[in-house]
Amino acid sequence: MQRVGIVGAFQTPFGKYLDRSLKSLAEEAVAGTTKDAAISIGEVESFYVGNSIAGLITGQEMVRGQTVLRRLGVSGQPIINVENACASGSTAAHLAWLAVRSGQAHVSMALGMEKMTHPDRSRPGQAIATAMDVETSPAKPGSISPFMDMYAPRIQAYMDRTGATPEDLARVTVKAQKNGALNPDAQYGGDLTVDEVLGDKMIATPLTRMMCSPIGDGAAGVILASEEYIDRHKIPNPVWVVASVLKSGIDPDDQPQALARAASEAFEIASVAPTDLHLIELHDANAGSELMRYEEIGLAPHGEGPRLIRDGTTNLGGDLPVNPSGGLLARGHPIGATGVAQLVELTKQLRGVAGARQVEGATIGLAENGGGWVGGDAAAECVHILKA
Amino acid sequence: MQRVGIVGAFQTPFGKYLDRSLKSLAEEAVAGTTKDAAISIGEVESFYVGNSIAGLITGQEMVRGQTVLRRLGVSGQPIINVENACASGSTAAHLAWLAVRSGQAHVSMALGMEKMTHPDRSRPGQAIATAMDVETSPAKPGSISPFMDMYAPRIQAYMDRTGATPEDLARVTVKAQKNGALNPDAQYGGDLTVDEVLGDKMIATPLTRMMCSPIGDGAAGVILASEEYIDRHKIPNPVWVVASVLKSGIDPDDQPQALARAASEAFEIASVAPTDLHLIELHDANAGSELMRYEEIGLAPHGEGPRLIRDGTTNLGGDLPVNPSGGLLARGHPIGATGVAQLVELTKQLRGVAGARQVEGATIGLAENGGGWVGGDAAAECVHILKA
């Protein structure tokens, strides 16, 4: 098995770009990633493309990756379109990692791309609802926020169990927006107060709008290479992928569920403990999910997630910054791009080039990306651990 | 690298099942495949699911594999949804092969599933059109056969170059229908004459309706296992995957294009020559494509494809039977299932259990599955070589 390093990483600025095509966003990401790696697209031996809803937004149901990559000069190299809802990007990265790790390719690329904005403003909500089983979905028909409807009672149950308050949820948003303001590629960012977050429009009690990840457009890429290739080409500062674990959901009666299992397996593979981590990018689809994930990843004992946001542990400058990029809440969440964007952020941080949001001395980071909801758990959960 | 064998293979009968759901077809395929392998679904370590158009047919844009597999008892094992148009099934098999070959899993499953029939009879044609770039597609708006519109001038040019006649195209259909009649899982089959095929409704000159693969529904599965697992469990009669090659399209000015490159690379990897093959399942999306593929795969010299159908070489009982299953023309072509169904047919043939259509003494076979059309070539081409 080959050791695998990230040698190129790039994300477009995330935002609402009604006037830009999915292709144009993806092309910007491919150009940025190959430039960052100083590798020509012809040297990339395989491509894994994560996208979730282009069928509903652009009409391109099939061969989405080919429509982008073939006109950028990819000729012959395998292109594989991958879909795992909001975990499509990390799933693409997992497959690119496997291609290199197994020796099938020396250089492979994962591209995550999504356009969610549409002139018909009900379209993104309709699209998101299809990340659940459309026959049995708990989403309310016509809901603009089907996933928040699903999350809300789970977040409420978590609050009842742990004593987390609406103020704690608001603190997650305040942190995310503060970090996002330091990230030029984030969709949002700014100085908010807890009261401003609590006073925003209620989407699904207890989640106000600012506690929910937004609709947005964007693309991100990573290029992975084998240690042999990295040595041969004297590539400086690779960021090593020391674990890549993908799981589907776990039957509801069994604990722990997919996220916790993926994380503990990744820690074991990487021989890393949660206390060894210097930063995390996690799937804060909403502010409550972030607190729940603190516990599921193993950062805090059962029931003690809220402490980490109250005492500043997960702030930039705290002991374990979470989502220095701004996370889904502020960097944004163009579905299929998110998992790759998390790896882009970790790569920048572990290279020490994350600018105003740099986590000082960071050498070990974890990315966690969840997608869909089927059978009482996430449809897919993917955890990567990276080391400088 | 682990040697990889197919240890379970099953396809549902292909047909038009307006009254059956995609889930029900897929569940039948999963049950049949695990039963054939005598492996419980819990022992399968990862799942790759090929599907192309469920978004347009069922509304399930995302997590299609999870909506099937989670309720069949898959809990935790990775499920990855794969899309490469009509080559989605073989792409899923290629990834399952890589998972086992690399040692990531001892047992992995590829599932291909598609439902194309829809109460709105224009829907399948709309769906198929999205296997080209929807922004630049050469398909006529509203065409019921966008791919036949694309193929037709290419087939005509091939006929002009080689002297292939409409009768030669009709002979391909006659062969396919004759073989299909021997396959209980085929959508069509029967005794036709060349004149009957030529006299059918013209879809896109020179292709009559009987020369074009039909709309249909179905699912198919293969389970792949490592040699170590096969030995440990004393699994009888594995069919070895000796080459699995996936390519995207080649720039139009470069020759050979994707199909020929994938085939020649597969022959090289497997140390097999075209003359060593005992049978082939190839992607006869239309009758003319079959003749062109004879040359592209290397079964006949440039310009001599028509000879193989005229002299009976590719008939059952000929020197190199092609599409004993009936192929896309008669077995049927539920898009995402086709590539897996080809492997199911080869597995049955190489096990010697293909019944009335058995190719006597077959020990080496090749499957070729193409998908989509982008940039002047197939979007994806996948070739497998299997050995008893």
Side-chain angles (χ1 to χ4, degrees):
Chain A
M1 290 296 211
Q2 283 278 332
R3 222 173 145 208
V4 181
I6 295 178
V7 300
F10 180 87
Q11 81 155 80
T12 70
F14 286 178
K16 294 188 176 183
Y17 304 116
L18 259 179
D19 56 338
R20 285 192 68 181
S21 69
L22 177 61
K23 281 195 183 107
S24 120
L25 291 161
E27 289 175 5
E28 182 183 339
V30 173
T33 307
T34 51
K35 184 178 173 198
D36 183 61
I39 285 178
S40 76
I41 199 163
E43 291 174 84
V44 181
E45 293 166 55
S46 55
F47 296 84
Y48 295 86
V49 180
N51 175 268
S52 294
I53 60 167
L56 285 169
I57 301 295
T58 72
Q60 190 73 51
E61 279 292 334
M62 296 190 254
V63 296
R64 296 168 190 170
Q66 284 88 343
T67 65
V68 170
L69 292 166
R70 290 283 288 112
R71 58 188 213 170
L72 297 180
V74 175
S75 178
Q77 302 105 299
I79 299 169
I80 295 168
N81 299 288
V82 176
E83 198 288 311
N84 255 346
C86 301
S88 295
S90 56
T91 300
H94 175 72
L95 292 176
W97 166 83
L98 178 60
V100 177
R101 178 128 179 97
S102 67
Q104 191 190 40
H106 281 298
V107 183
S108 185
M109 180 170 184
L111 170 67
M113 60 182 197
E114 205 77 65
K115 183 170 168 63
M116 301 180 75
T117 58
H118 190 277
D120 171 0
R121 293 183 64 180
S122 65
R123 193 67 68 90
Q126 290 165 13
I128 293 166
T130 73
M132 301 190 237
D133 186 325
V134 296
E135 287 179 14
T136 60
S137 169
K140 295 174 196 149
S143 169
I144 58 159
S145 57
F147 262 75
M148 299 309 149
D149 298 343
M150 181 278 291
Y151 281 126
R154 294 172 53 83
I155 303 297
Q156 191 61 61
Y158 174 80
M159 294 167 75
D160 294 345
R161 175 167 70 75
T162 62
T165 62
E167 287 73 17
D168 292 327
L169 304 190
R171 287 183 185 105
V172 172
T173 296
V174 170
K175 168 176 75 69
Q177 294 295 332
K178 192 171 172 183
N179 294 351
L182 305 175
N183 180 359
D185 296 326
Q187 183 166 346
Y188 296 111
D191 274 325
L192 290 175
T193 66
V194 163
D195 285 345
E196 283 172 313
V197 177
L198 291 174
D200 198 13
K201 179 181 166 188
M202 189 63 72
I203 298 292
T205 307
L207 301 170
T208 67
R209 183 171 54 183
M210 288 185 194
M211 295 176 190
C212 301
S213 54
I215 301 296
D217 309 325
V222 286
I223 293 177
L224 297 98
S226 65
E227 183 166 28
E228 187 187 322
Y229 185 97
I230 289 168
D231 287 349
R232 185 155 26 102
H233 293 267
K234 299 186 172 51
I235 295 175
N237 307 324
V239 170
W240 301 103
V241 181
V242 293
S244 176
V245 176
L246 175 67
K247 292 214 174 288
S248 68
I250 303 290
D251 289 337
D253 292 345
D254 294 336
Q255 297 295 332
Q257 291 209 286
L259 193 168
R261 291 189 197 212
S264 71
E265 193 172 313
F267 285 128
E268 192 183 326
I269 289 169
S271 298
V272 161
T275 49
D276 296 328
L277 297 173
H278 297 136
L279 80 157
I280 290 178
E281 285 283 315
L282 61 70
H283 196 81
D284 56 327
N286 62 78
S289 283
E290 175 159 329
L291 299 182
M292 294 178 71
R293 279 162 152 77
Y294 290 169
E295 299 179 24
E296 291 170 304
I297 295 173
L299 312 181
H302 194 64
E304 295 185 24
R307 182 180 52 77
L308 303 189
I309 193 72
R310 287 178 196 156
D311 71 9
T313 298
T314 55
N315 287 347
L316 261 177
D319 281 350
L320 179 54
V322 168
N323 290 342
S325 71
L328 280 63
L329 290 173
R331 181 197 58 228
H333 181 34
I335 307 178
T338 288
V340 180
Q342 292 178 329
L343 298 177
V344 172
E345 177 68 12
L346 288 188
T347 300
K348 287 179 180 170
Q349 291 281 354
L350 300 182
R351 284 175 176 171
V353 297
R357 65 187 189 285
Q358 178 66 45
V359 176
E360 284 305 319
T363 60
I364 309 183
L366 177 148
E368 177 271 322
N369 184 213
W373 191 260
V374 175
D377 196 4
E381 270 291 348
C382 195
V383 171
H384 284 90
I385 299 179
L386 271 50
K387 267 191 182 177
Chain B
M1 289 296 211
Q2 283 278 333
R3 222 172 144 209
V4 181
I6 294 179
V7 298
F10 181 89
Q11 82 156 80
T12 70
F14 286 178
K16 294 189 176 181
Y17 304 116
L18 259 178
D19 56 339
R20 286 191 68 181
S21 69
L22 177 61
K23 280 193 183 113
S24 120
L25 292 161
E27 289 175 6
E28 183 184 338
V30 172
T33 308
T34 51
K35 185 180 171 197
D36 183 62
I39 285 177
S40 75
I41 199 163
E43 291 174 83
V44 181
E45 293 166 55
S46 55
F47 297 84
Y48 295 86
V49 180
N51 174 269
S52 294
I53 60 168
L56 285 169
I57 301 295
T58 72
Q60 190 73 50
E61 279 293 334
M62 297 190 252
V63 296
R64 296 168 192 171
Q66 284 88 343
T67 65
V68 170
L69 292 166
R70 288 284 287 112
R71 58 189 210 169
L72 297 181
V74 175
S75 177
Q77 302 105 299
I79 300 169
I80 295 168
N81 300 288
V82 176
E83 199 289 310
N84 255 347
C86 300
S88 295
S90 57
T91 300
H94 175 73
L95 293 175
W97 166 83
L98 178 60
V100 176
R101 179 131 178 94
S102 68
Q104 190 190 43
H106 281 296
V107 183
S108 186
M109 181 170 185
L111 171 67
M113 60 181 197
E114 205 77 66
K115 186 171 167 60
M116 301 179 75
T117 59
H118 191 278
D120 171 0
R121 293 182 64 179
S122 65
R123 193 67 68 89
Q126 291 165 13
I128 293 166
T130 72
M132 302 189 236
D133 187 326
V134 297
E135 287 179 14
T136 60
S137 169
K140 295 172 196 151
S143 169
I144 58 159
S145 55
F147 262 75
M148 299 310 147
D149 298 344
M150 180 280 289
Y151 281 126
R154 293 172 53 83
I155 303 297
Q156 191 61 62
Y158 174 81
M159 294 166 76
D160 294 344
R161 174 167 70 74
T162 61
T165 62
E167 287 73 17
D168 292 327
L169 304 190
R171 286 183 186 104
V172 172
T173 295
V174 170
K175 168 176 75 68
Q177 294 295 332
K178 192 170 174 185
N179 294 351
L182 304 176
N183 180 359
D185 296 327
Q187 183 166 347
Y188 296 111
D191 274 325
L192 290 175
T193 65
V194 163
D195 284 345
E196 284 171 315
V197 178
L198 292 174
D200 198 14
K201 180 181 166 190
M202 191 60 75
I203 298 293
T205 307
L207 301 170
T208 68
R209 185 172 51 183
M210 289 185 195
M211 297 176 188
C212 301
S213 54
I215 300 297
D217 309 324
V222 287
I223 294 178
L224 298 98
S226 65
E227 183 166 28
E228 187 187 322
Y229 185 95
I230 289 168
D231 287 348
R232 186 154 28 100
H233 293 267
K234 301 186 172 47
I235 295 175
N237 306 325
V239 170
W240 301 104
V241 181
V242 294
S244 177
V245 175
L246 175 67
K247 293 215 174 289
S248 68
I250 302 290
D251 289 337
D253 292 344
D254 295 336
Q255 295 297 330
Q257 291 207 285
L259 194 168
R261 291 188 197 212
S264 71
E265 193 172 312
F267 284 127
E268 191 183 326
I269 290 168
S271 297
V272 162
T275 49
D276 296 327
L277 297 173
H278 298 136
L279 80 158
I280 290 178
E281 286 283 315
L282 60 69
H283 197 82
D284 56 327
N286 63 76
S289 284
E290 175 160 327
L291 299 182
M292 293 178 72
R293 280 163 152 76
Y294 290 168
E295 300 180 24
E296 291 170 303
I297 294 172
L299 311 181
H302 193 64
E304 295 185 23
R307 183 180 53 77
L308 301 190
I309 192 72
R310 288 178 197 156
D311 70 9
T313 298
T314 56
N315 287 348
L316 261 177
D319 282 350
L320 180 53
V322 168
N323 291 340
S325 71
L328 281 61
L329 290 173
R331 181 197 57 228
H333 181 33
I335 307 179
T338 288
V340 180
Q342 293 178 328
L343 298 177
V344 173
E345 177 67 13
L346 289 188
T347 301
K348 287 179 181 171
Q349 292 280 356
L350 300 182
R351 284 175 176 171
V353 297
R357 66 187 188 283
Q358 179 65 45
V359 176
E360 285 305 318
T363 60
I364 308 182
L366 177 147
E368 177 271 321
N369 185 212
W373 191 260
V374 175
D377 196 4
E381 270 291 348
C382 192
V383 171
H384 284 90
I385 298 178
L386 270 50
K387 266 191 184 178

